[in-house]
């Protein structure tokens, strides 16, 4: 399973970006998607996650600004980021939890990062 993330860039504070992550390869079921970020000198943190049932959870600092959605037909997860702040500057990574067979073990795959820079 390969994940391809894109959509990062440079924006001014208050701006918006939408990140996308597309899965390819063979798997039985994609259980959950997530976006993480890692800023220089800080540990990687979970930003947002969405389950196969549509349940979501967010890092407190991004609630009501970031929104995670998934399109199973396109094997894609999105992260809509609004009202961006300099503190959101980081490398953003997507991940996917998949199973490869019915009742099979769950595996986590990671995409390459996409850089988001928020600066005036």
């Amino acid at each position: 399973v390969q994940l391809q993330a894109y959509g990062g860039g440079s924006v001014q504070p208050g701006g918006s970006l939408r990140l996308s992550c597309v899965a390819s390869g063979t798997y039985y079921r994609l259980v959950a998607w997530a976006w993480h970020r890692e800023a220089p000198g800080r540990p990687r943190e979970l930003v947002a996650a969405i389950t196969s049932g549509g349940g979501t959870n967010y890092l407190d600092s991004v609630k009501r600004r970031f929104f995670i959605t998934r399109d199973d037909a396109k094997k894609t997860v999105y992260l809509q980021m609004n009202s961006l702040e300099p503190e959101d500057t980081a490398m953003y990574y997507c991940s996917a939890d998949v199973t490869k067979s019915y009742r099979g073990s769950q595996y986590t795959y990671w995409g390459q990062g996409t850089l988001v820079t928020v600066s005036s």
Side-chain angles (χ1 to χ4, degrees):
V1 177
Q2 297 81 42
L3 304 181
Q4 179 71 43
Y6 55 96
S10 295
V11 295
Q12 294 186 339
S16 298
L17 282 174
R18 189 176 82 155
L19 305 183
S20 302
C21 179
V22 183
S24 62
T26 303
Y27 55 86
Y28 177 76
R29 179 169 173 251
L30 200 154
V31 177
W33 289 97
W35 286 97
H36 312 255
R37 69 186 181 188
E38 188 170 339
R42 297 179 61 182
R44 186 174 296 191
E45 59 185 356
L46 175 66
V47 176
I50 184 167
T51 68
S52 58
T56 59
N57 68 281
Y58 296 93
L59 183 68
D60 283 348
S61 62
V62 308
K63 285 180 179 177
R64 293 175 295 281
R65 297 191 299 121
F66 290 12
F67 302 93
I68 187 170
T69 56
R70 59 189 288 168
D71 185 330
D72 291 338
K74 294 182 178 180
K75 299 183 179 180
T76 300
V77 66
Y78 305 97
L79 185 67
Q80 178 66 43
M81 305 186 295
N82 302 323
S83 302
L84 282 160
E85 303 169 353
E87 293 73 22
D88 297 317
T89 295
M91 188 71 78
Y92 284 71
Y93 299 89
C94 60
S95 68
D97 296 335
V98 307
T99 60
K100 297 190 175 181
S101 63
Y102 181 68
R103 293 184 181 272
S105 299
Q106 190 166 298
Y107 300 87
T108 299
Y109 292 88
W110 291 82
Q112 89 293 357
T114 184
L115 182 63
V116 173
T117 303
V118 185
S119 174
S120 55

